[in-house]
Amino acid sequence: MPVLHVSAECAPFAKVGGLADVVGALPGALARLGVASGVVMPFYGGPHGRLAQKAGAIESVHTGVVFFEGEWFPFEVFQSDALSSDGAEVPLYLVHEPEHFGDDGVYFRASDNTWFARGEVRYLVFQLMVLDWLRSENTPLDGDGLLHLHDHHAGLIPALLHTDPANSVLADLPTVLTVHSADHHGEIPWARWNSLGLDLPNWESLDHLGVVNSLKAGVETADRVTTVSPSYAIELTESPETSHGLDYAFQLAGDRLSGIVNGVDMDVWDPATDAFLPEHFSADDLGGKTALKQAVCASLGLDASRPLLTFVGRLTPEKGAEVLAPGIAQILHQTDAAVAILGSGYPEYEGALRDLAASAPEGRLSVTLAFDEALAHRLYGAGDVFLMPSKQEPCGLGQLYAMRYGTIPVVHAVGGLRDTVTAWDGAIGTGLRFDAYSADAFAEAVGRALALDADARAALQQNGMRADHSWAASAADYVTLYRELGLSTATKGSGV
């Protein structure tokens, strides 16, 4: 197998954010292009947990043991075929070690949502186990393999490859680190790292503010570094706020750093077949979209005769929650639109939306403070305009779903939103953008969207629905990158 993806998440088995969606879709897209790929992740909850129920039949392929902080930790690697689909064979490898990953929770305990006792080193131990497995005779990688690492949870692997003598057999493996978000760095106290007893010729490559920084380590030591959009790559080099203080590390990456936008699963996100939609439609026949809007508005108590604005997302500062409620207040006052909001997050933002809903005119505002996958799909499809005022957005998927479903996105021109939404100029475009991060700029952009005539709205709908945001296009860019690292990609039919 040429490419092994190392990740903390993979949809649909363990999902907290967009990382899971990428790792769940990209390997299959690569396999369909002839690059056999697999995924390795922690086996949260072990063989009797919730993840195991989703993984189905599993087979043990390796047993090993790692030594860390004076203790031996036996582990076992299982293989599942549950990630394979549409003729793409994608083995899913699950690393079972009960001390660190015996709980069903991904980043917090499933039982009480508290921090794990060994939380600082969970993913360091995971990486040690992955490397122990890869240097065994049971390794899934062939002679020209490559490790594709995702976020800080796998960011220490390049350093471990080149500093731990036990990994000398793996030292020539090319490594690619994809930074899905720089919001989390994976910090580990030096005293805990030093228990490995490794000789670090360049300890500064791991250090940030006096601790081991797993994300920085990956950025400085991986052969190539990617982010999930070209604009986000630039922002990480220019903004200490966006990179959370690691702008200098991204700057030093130089030509090793690039951006590749995410794709969407065009089969799952298809308004012509979506099982969550009571009415279906396509770019060639939008009749079902009108019926869907009427059904959704009826269920939410909204006036379907008005333009429908929808928002689906987490209520956090990064997702624009600071400007959402005050922006919506202006929109309700200045336009005749109805608004449907779905999401949950920080209590202060939920509270502001509750207060706004309580004072809004009847039929104008619906606020659902929850995660509801079915309603999310319906709001993407029923809306006339989709709202995405993110303060930061590495790539973003909501705007891609909205365009696929014929709902015109209004986005803050930042990160992947800038790269994936082409601003309407009166002739071409897929959405509307605003530059200043403020409630006033947000509301003004929505006003521009609502002022468009029928021909402009139709053109925007068609442009968005017919655009290619599939994983095939993004996967092809990754294949090009792999080739630059010397990976042979003439592997179709080679299996794993």
Side-chain angles (χ1 to χ4, degrees):
M1 177 173 61
V3 179
L4 180 66
H5 296 263
V6 186
S7 176
E9 301 179 37
C10 178
F13 310 101
K15 176 180 175 177
V16 176
L19 166 63
D21 292 315
V22 174
V23 178
L26 175 57
L30 290 168
R32 284 184 280 274
L33 291 178
V35 181
S37 302
V39 176
V40 59
M41 64 178 291
F43 201 170
Y44 303 107
H48 303 291
R50 291 199 295 264
L51 192 162
Q53 296 174 10
K54 298 178 181 179
I58 57 175
E59 175 187 3
S60 177
V61 295
H62 176 73
T63 58
V65 62
V66 296
F67 186 74
F68 180 67
E69 293 188 315
E71 295 184 66
W72 292 98
F73 296 101
F75 70 94
E76 189 168 7
V77 181
F78 293 89
Q79 179 179 341
S80 164
D81 294 325
L83 196 56
S84 301
S85 64
D86 298 330
E89 295 183 15
V90 182
L92 173 67
Y93 299 103
L94 303 167
V95 181
H96 172 48
E97 193 285 298
E99 179 67 23
H100 295 86
F101 298 103
D103 189 273
D104 282 320
V106 178
Y107 304 126
F108 299 95
R109 291 187 177 279
S111 56
D112 55 12
N113 205 37
T114 58
W115 181 246
F116 288 99
R118 299 177 61 87
E120 291 176 320
V121 296
R122 289 173 79 228
Y123 292 102
L124 171 55
V125 173
F126 167 63
Q127 292 168 86
L128 294 174
M129 292 186 292
V130 169
L131 290 172
D132 178 270
W133 168 48
L134 294 182
R135 62 179 181 254
S136 75
E137 61 183 25
N138 299 320
T139 178
L141 293 176
D142 54 27
D144 66 348
L146 177 148
L147 293 176
H148 193 146
L149 315 171
H150 295 270
D151 274 347
H152 74 82
H153 317 98
L156 292 167
I157 283 180
L160 290 166
L161 285 175
H162 297 107
T163 60
D164 188 344
N167 293 322
S168 59
V169 68
L170 304 174
D172 292 334
L173 277 175
T175 54
V176 175
L177 173 72
T178 294
V179 179
H180 299 262
S181 172
D183 290 349
H184 304 285
H185 291 184
E187 296 177 339
I188 302 171
W190 271 105
R192 306 196 77 173
W193 169 271
N194 288 337
S195 69
L196 293 171
L198 302 178
D199 181 22
L200 285 178
N202 181 17
W203 66 270
E204 293 93 344
S205 65
L206 276 67
D207 183 83
H208 179 68
L209 301 179
V211 297
V212 174
N213 186 296
S214 301
L215 184 63
K216 179 191 175 184
V219 170
E220 294 212 1
T221 59
D223 294 310
R224 290 292 297 269
V225 181
T226 70
T227 68
V228 290
S229 69
S231 289
Y232 188 59
I234 294 171
E235 291 168 3
L236 289 172
T237 66
E238 295 180 342
S239 169
E241 181 181 11
T242 300
S243 65
H244 296 272
L246 290 185
D247 50 309
Y248 69 96
F250 287 101
Q251 291 167 12
L252 289 172
D255 292 341
R256 292 186 299 112
L257 175 65
S258 61
I260 299 174
V261 296
N262 290 335
V264 299
D265 189 322
M266 303 291 271
D267 293 325
V268 172
W269 294 95
D270 184 351
T273 58
D274 190 332
F276 289 116
L277 303 187
E279 304 286 345
H280 295 110
F281 57 94
S282 68
D284 295 323
D285 183 1
L286 289 168
K289 185 174 175 68
T290 300
L292 175 62
K293 175 183 175 180
Q294 293 172 343
V296 168
C297 286
S299 67
L300 297 177
L302 296 174
D303 183 351
S305 69
R306 299 174 181 271
L308 177 62
L309 315 180
T310 61
F311 171 91
V312 178
R314 299 193 306 275
L315 299 177
T316 65
E318 295 79 14
K319 294 299 183 181
E322 296 168 305
V323 302
L324 184 63
I328 294 298
Q330 291 189 40
I331 291 165
L332 292 175
H333 178 70
Q334 297 169 0
T335 77
D336 66 344
V339 184
I341 294 174
L342 172 65
S344 62
Y346 288 18
E348 58 267 37
Y349 302 130
E350 291 190 357
L353 289 170
R354 284 194 192 94
D355 292 342
L356 188 59
S359 61
E362 185 177 356
R364 297 288 304 280
L365 177 61
S366 167
V367 175
T368 304
L369 299 175
F371 172 76
D372 185 325
E373 186 174 4
L375 180 56
H377 281 242
R378 291 168 185 168
L379 291 182
Y380 286 122
D384 296 298
V385 174
F386 184 75
L387 310 177
M388 205 161 177
S390 303
K391 184 177 184 180
Q392 299 175 13
E393 195 63 73
C395 179
L397 293 173
Q399 81 281 12
L400 303 181
Y401 300 150
M403 287 187 284
R404 176 82 165 135
Y405 283 50
T407 301
I408 300 167
V410 172
V411 304
H412 182 212
V414 65
L417 298 178
R418 179 186 296 276
D419 295 330
T420 58
V421 177
T422 304
W424 176 251
D425 66 358
I428 61 172
T430 57
L432 286 85
R433 308 193 313 207
F434 60 97
D435 293 311
Y437 181 66
S438 68
D440 290 344
F442 170 41
E444 186 275 334
V446 172
R448 284 190 283 122
L450 294 175
L452 294 170
D453 62 30
D455 289 340
R457 290 196 302 273
L460 279 164
Q461 277 188 322
Q462 290 296 318
N463 292 347
M465 295 187 79
R466 296 186 188 280
D468 182 7
H469 295 297
S470 70
W471 266 112
S474 301
D477 290 335
Y478 281 109
V479 172
T480 299
L481 184 149
Y482 297 158
R483 285 176 176 155
E484 292 172 358
L485 289 173
L487 182 72
S488 171
T489 56
T491 56
K492 191 144 182 95
S494 64
V496 295

